[in-house]
Amino acid sequence: MIVCVCRRVSDREIARHARAGMDFDDIQFELGVATQCGQCEGCARDIVSQCRPLQPMAALSKAGDVPQAQA
């Protein structure tokens, strides 16, 4: 689906860049999305937030593991 009609940028292009770790500002600079009329900015930001790589999570310990004290 074309998200930005002015620059002819698709949701797939935005998602691919977001999955590569780029934030909205980087994608906007790279693809030109939301730089003309701005009507697509909300939709483009939603796609970026949905495709953003997961944040690192704390390691989970197994049941019965005893955490070791940090020296």
Side-chain angles (χ1 to χ4, degrees):
M1 162 180 90
I2 297 296
V3 173
C4 177
V5 176
C6 300
R7 295 291 185 162
R8 195 162 174 78
V9 178
S10 71
D11 58 341
R12 290 181 182 181
E13 289 177 281
I14 296 169
R16 184 169 51 86
H17 284 74
R19 287 188 191 108
M22 297 174 79
D23 63 14
F24 179 79
D25 292 338
D26 294 336
I27 294 169
Q28 187 178 37
F29 181 78
E30 181 75 19
L31 301 177
V33 65
T35 58
Q36 292 290 312
C37 73
Q39 292 294 311
C40 61
E41 183 173 346
C43 182
R45 285 186 182 275
D46 287 346
I47 293 168
V48 171
S49 67
Q50 291 170 7
C51 296
R52 187 174 300 156
L54 296 176
Q55 298 294 323
M57 297 177 66
L60 299 174
S61 61
K62 292 186 239 174
D65 285 352
V66 177
Q68 297 179 355
Q70 300 281 330

